[in-house]
Amino acid sequence: MEVKNITVLGAGTMGHGIAQAAVQAGFDAVLYDISAEFVEKGAARIKKSLAKRVEKGKLAQDQMEAILGRLKTSTNLAEAVKNADFVVEAVPENLDLKKKIFAELDKLCKPETILATNTSVLSVTAVAGATSRKDQVVGTHFFNPAAVMKLVEIICPVGAADKTVEIAMDTMKRLGKTPIKVKDTPGFIVNRLLGPLYMTAAQMVLDGTATAEDIDTAMKLGAGHPMGPCELADFGGFDVIQMAQDSVFEYTHSEADKLNILYRKMIEAGRLGFKNGKGFYDYLPDGTKKPFKVF
Ligand code: 3HC
């Protein structure tokens, strides 16, 4: 089967970026969310991002219109998935919610449709277990910003058919991404490796070894990272990092993977990172940021 129609469930940070990557690559895509407000917001973010590329001279106006012409939005799940060859679910990281959606997708989608979850934390095998097509489910872990970042981790749950993994790999390549395969284990590859970096950076802030800003500068200029670990932790969100680290720690029992107390304290203080403008930095309405003094 060659995938032509992609449906993305969830129009938030990841979902809108995945839909953008799909229509940019020439697929017809439907962006679904539960309310008109959410889908309109997601579609507006796609339009804004493309308009910026037109402004910069990287995309012609007619190309932008063609790309947008391939994007449909929907708040009706049955309608949104009825023609889908490949569904990418990118709803909030809640296993019960994902299982409920996959059970519905199983009934609503064509028998050959591949179902993918964009979880960065949860067991793909558990999500697949909610369907009667356990061999047709994979994880497609995109990275933020999804329209830009080249990597997609293809998570292979227990029981996935080789054919399913092959179609997922091929579809991600056609989407302009570089897919790599990984077994369904907590943290997969990237978050498993990023976790200890986030934890060590937080401990250094707590110890007063250096400021968050200087730690970020050190890793950008000394190690060539595009963003420092504190900025990147803000970008990912402390609540997401907490869920990821707790599940990785439960698996490895390695001290290096244990959630650093600072993230727990930040969450308790209502600081979730970039998403609510409060993390290692305060993100100001004018688009600038200033370091937050933790203690
Ligand atoms: N949406 C769409 N496009 C975006 C974007 C966004 N949110 N942010 C940046 N871009 C585009 C820009 O428009 C620009 O496009 P162009 O080259 O066509 O002009 C291009 O990306 C580069 O952007 P900028 O020049 O503005 O800025 P940078 O060169 O600093 O790049 C960045 C921005 C791509 C975000 C870069 O800082 C980066 O790579 N950061 C690291 C991101 C990262 O590590 N992400 C993974 C996080 S972990 C994760 O997602 C896992 C999950 O489970 C939590």
Side-chain angles (χ1 to χ4, degrees):
M1 176 188 60
E2 188 171 81
V3 171
K4 291 198 180 72
N5 300 315
I6 296 181
T7 295
V8 181
L9 308 181
T13 302
M14 297 310 291
H16 91 270
I18 297 167
Q20 181 177 339
V23 284
Q24 279 182 179
F27 289 95
D28 287 320
V30 180
L31 182 61
Y32 163 89
D33 211 316
I34 49 172
S35 81
E37 188 199 333
F38 293 162
V39 273
E40 276 157 24
K41 219 167 152 186
R45 288 171 82 176
I46 296 173
K47 279 181 204 149
K48 193 172 161 199
S49 170
L50 294 173
K52 224 168 157 186
R53 302 202 72 214
V54 172
E55 232 174 74
K56 286 186 192 166
K58 293 193 169 175
L59 192 71
Q61 179 74 26
D62 60 343
Q63 284 175 311
M64 178 176 88
E65 280 156 22
I67 291 170
L68 290 173
R70 290 193 284 274
L71 180 73
K72 290 197 176 61
T73 57
S74 175
T75 54
N76 179 319
L77 187 61
E79 277 293 315
V81 301
K82 79 170 186 227
N83 293 320
D85 304 310
F86 199 96
V87 177
V88 183
E89 164 276 311
V91 308
E93 293 279 30
N94 175 317
L95 185 58
D96 287 338
L97 175 66
K98 288 191 192 255
K99 280 162 92 174
K100 184 173 165 278
I101 290 171
F102 272 68
E104 279 179 62
L105 290 175
D106 195 24
K107 291 191 206 114
L108 297 171
C109 292
K110 300 182 287 187
E112 65 273 26
T113 304
I114 307 282
L115 307 180
T117 172
N118 180 54
T119 184
S120 59
V121 183
L122 302 169
S123 163
V124 179
T125 307
V127 175
T131 72
S132 65
R133 54 176 96 189
K134 298 176 181 47
D135 57 341
Q136 279 173 234
V137 177
V138 284
T140 47
H141 184 207
F142 287 79
F143 293 82
N144 188 16
V148 177
M149 301 298 284
K150 287 283 175 211
L151 183 72
V152 178
E153 291 177 322
I154 303 289
I155 325 304
C156 309
V158 173
D162 291 346
K163 187 79 199 152
T164 301
V165 175
E166 205 182 287
I167 293 171
M169 294 284 288
D170 175 61
T171 305
M172 293 305 121
K173 282 183 197 157
R174 289 171 55 221
L175 220 93
K177 302 297 183 190
T178 301
I180 44 133
K181 283 185 236 176
V182 51
K183 285 182 191 163
D184 184 18
T185 48
F188 315 130
I189 297 173
V190 175
N191 283 343
R192 177 118 172 243
L193 288 168
L194 280 178
L197 180 67
Y198 295 145
M199 300 311 123
T200 307
Q203 192 57 43
M204 288 168 102
V205 170
L206 273 182
D207 292 346
T209 306
T211 63
E213 203 179 18
D214 284 349
I215 293 167
D216 284 340
T217 301
M219 291 309 281
K220 283 190 282 194
L221 302 187
H225 290 196
M227 291 168 95
C230 302
E231 287 175 305
L232 197 56
D234 277 2
F235 199 44
F238 299 160
D239 50 342
V240 174
I241 287 175
Q242 178 179 27
M243 275 177 80
Q245 278 321 111
D246 287 350
S247 65
V248 172
F249 180 71
E250 195 190 333
Y251 175 59
T252 65
H253 290 280
S254 160
E255 276 302 309
D257 293 324
K258 203 168 182 179
L259 185 76
N260 188 279
I261 183 88
L262 182 55
Y263 292 107
R264 237 181 268 286
K265 291 288 153 203
M266 293 283 233
I267 293 167
E268 284 168 9
R271 303 188 72 85
L272 298 181
F274 181 75
K275 70 176 101 177
N276 75 346
K278 296 180 173 78
F280 283 106
Y281 298 87
D282 281 315
Y283 296 85
L284 308 175
D286 65 3
T288 61
K289 64 181 199 279
K290 71 173 185 6
F292 168 70
K293 190 171 172 299
V294 178
F295 289 115

